[in-house]
Amino acid sequence: MKTPHTFLKKTFALSFLVLALLACNSDDHTYTPDPPETIPEKYDLGLFDNGKRVMMQAFYWDVEPRFEWWNTLSGHIEDWAATGVDRIWLPVATKGQSGGYSMGYDPSDYFDFGEFDQHGTVPTRFGTREQLEHLIQKAHDNGLEVIADIVLNHNSGGGEEYNPYRNKNTYTLFDTANGNASGKFNRSYEDFHPNSLHQHDEEALFFEEQDLCHHQPRVQEWLWKGEHSVAKYYKNVMKFDGWRFDYVKGFGAWVVKAWTDEVGGFAVGEYWDGYNPELVEWVEASGAAAFDFSCFYKLDEALDRKGDLTVLSGDMLWKSYPEKAVTFVANHDTEKDENPENNISAAHKMLAYAYILTHDGYPTLFYSDYENRQYRSGLKNLVSIHNSIATGTLEVLHQSGEEYIMKRNGNDDNPGLILYMNIGSDHRQRTVTTNWKDKKLVDYSGNTSAWLITDSNGQVTVEAPAKGFAVWSVSRE
């Protein structure tokens, strides 16, 4: 419901004197000064560095131009570092069955980073090994860690051989002549399921005939245990700093734990499930972080499917394990998914980013969103807010179908913030109690030019634009 003050603001040009008099007597603590130069100045948010940063997913599905992606990313490193990114997540960096068209999720040779002539190409879709090494070095020079995308569930592109466990031929022969030109980690049917150990591993089957068996000792040796294993080669030779594990529903959580126990590094798993107890069980068993699909689907439900912000009161991984929750709004899979329930609409993306960049968890930016002119300046600003005043304990001040107001309490050296999300079709105001007494407030999101003053009890009437959000905190004055 609009307050009289909001109405008067809209008639400001016609009746400034009446508005000024009424505003002086208003108890809603909202000031709309004239001239604009009197608006209080915002703090330089760099003064409140809270040590938090964000990750960049540095690719989208079927990136272009082919064979140049590593060079393309090298051109973005300085900007991302200046924005507040501390890690970049690269696509699968080694040769897949689809050769120069492969996004890497059909892994063939774990040691071909674009240097062997196989599957119709020497470079991968993303470029040569030399270009990749240059990218990793440039990222390190700018203080960024580089996260490798690791596919351990299945393999593709091997040669045909008779498989006695299936009583037919399968494409499970990987050697220098068949999809493994590096000559490292040669494989045969004994390394896949079924085999002499068992029929299948603990979890859901995918790409069944080439489903790797992680219980086979030689598979463990080549994947993480041995001195020349995939894990140690990526870390010690290629200089990757951490791991994004693909489709972790396809094998036991113990595999990720064994890998990280062996080589360390930041680790996050793609456990694609919106049911939070499943995510909690996986992070507890693996010891790794997980992408917060429970948060992703709650945001999609609240903003797109139902238009009801009370959905955000539900379970999410960031609420259960904030230090293990990698939050996100979009990724390479969701953006190409034609099912609207598996992606957040363009109309609501900035609202969703405002949510994850002011709440707990480790947020991820999606390359295509950040490089989109429609979102870029807003995302840069939200990252600045996240890395500075999005700190302290979290308290929901108001929640209804169309409104969500949350407070970060900050600390002695940091003012914290108030996020006001409004999915209604009109400008909204709501009186709340803050931690700030007799302070001027400004909107650090830049979505409204209004400024506010809290009273001696910390009360203030905050506001947010229609179908938008505001991030309130103290001004310099």
Side-chain angles (χ1 to χ4, degrees), residues 108 154-166 168-175 178-180 185-194 207-213 218:
S108 181
H154 57 279
N155 291 167
S156 303
E160 191 174 14
E161 64 178 348
Y162 177 70
N163 187 334
Y165 297 104
R166 292 188 177 273
K168 65 175 186 178
N169 285 1
T170 54
Y171 291 92
T172 48
L173 179 62
F174 290 81
D175 56 24
N178 295 278
N180 199 51
F185 193 19
N186 289 328
R187 286 143 279 163
S188 69
Y189 58 78
E190 271 290 350
D191 300 311
F192 300 92
H193 293 114
F207 217 75
E208 187 173 348
E209 288 189 0
Q210 287 86 47
D211 182 60
L212 265 177
C213 177
R218 70 178 307 275

Side-chain angles (χ1 to χ4, degrees), residues 278-279 363 401:
E278 291 280 347
L279 294 172

Side-chain angles (χ1 to χ4, degrees), residues 20-40:
L21 292 172
L22 288 177
C24 289
N25 295 318
S26 172
D27 63 354
D28 67 4
H29 319 293
T30 305
Y31 279 50
T32 306
D34 184 72
E37 288 77 14
T38 62
I39 296 175

